[in-house]
Amino acid sequence: MIKSNDSAIGELNDIVGFHIRLAHGAVYRHFAETFANLELTQKQVSVLWLVGENPAISQIELGQRLRMDRATTMTIVNRLQDRDYLRRERSETDGRKQALYLTDVGADALAKAKLAIHEHEEWLKSRFTSEEIEKLVEMLARIHD
């Protein structure tokens, strides 16, 4: 039986997926509160971060690395470009592809987002020991890999 603070949920207490959903909800709410002033979504931050670490990454490779379909990737890139966070240039290595780069405004937004992520991660990690965090990440990877 899974331990829970809420005995009123009956047999739901034994459903692993139910606890994952509750945990996801709590993490997402805290993330949304932490990021409220930045007006960025988790996916947008992930895109900025990956482009910042990989200047000239193609839109296709970006979507593959973040496990997003082409339409979602294009929508996010378009929105970030409309906000002057990203710019597209023709790839120097493959003229059929668009290379993505952070603008100065995008780099500033990413820096602010990283500070917010640090705050969010501190909140989340404060619930676990270092060993538990390592094991939790390992176990969650079994689900999403």
Side-chain angles (χ1 to χ4, degrees):
M1 177 174 268
I2 298 168
K3 292 181 181 179
S4 174
N5 293 337
D6 189 356
S7 60
I9 60 174
E11 290 182 19
L12 282 175
N13 194 44
D14 296 331
I15 307 296
V16 174
F18 178 74
H19 288 279
I20 290 172
R21 186 185 67 74
L22 291 178
H24 174 265
V27 171
Y28 184 79
R29 280 188 303 278
H30 187 271
F31 179 92
E33 291 168 7
T34 305
F35 275 71
N37 294 335
L38 296 179
E39 298 178 0
L40 289 167
T41 67
Q42 289 174 319
K43 287 182 181 180
Q44 289 171 336
V45 171
S46 296
V47 166
L48 291 174
W49 200 313
L50 202 54
V51 172
E53 288 184 347
N54 301 277
I57 190 171
S58 73
Q59 190 167 300
I60 292 169
E61 185 176 355
L62 176 75
Q64 289 170 342
R65 287 191 189 187
L66 295 176
R67 298 180 183 151
M68 297 186 305
D69 61 59
R70 291 177 85 159
T72 301
T73 305
M74 185 175 73
T75 299
I76 292 170
V77 168
N78 286 344
R79 286 186 181 150
L80 291 171
Q81 186 176 13
D82 289 346
R83 292 175 71 179
D84 193 33
Y85 288 179
L86 292 179
R87 73 177 191 280
R88 288 180 171 107
E89 294 180 10
R90 183 172 300 269
S91 171
E92 292 180 9
T93 58
D94 184 346
R96 298 168 296 169
K97 294 182 180 178
Q98 295 285 315
L100 300 173
Y101 298 89
L102 288 181
T103 63
D104 290 342
V105 176
D108 184 52
L110 178 58
K112 290 175 184 171
K114 284 182 176 183
L115 288 174
I117 286 172
H118 178 73
E119 178 185 327
H120 175 67
E121 282 290 300
E122 287 297 315
W123 168 84
L124 183 57
K125 289 178 178 179
S126 72
R127 284 141 173 76
F128 305 100
T129 66
S130 300
E131 296 79 24
E132 288 173 329
I133 292 167
E134 187 176 326
K135 189 66 176 172
L136 178 62
V137 170
E138 176 189 318
M139 290 186 299
L140 291 172
R142 288 187 217 161
I143 296 171
H144 66 73
D145 283 348

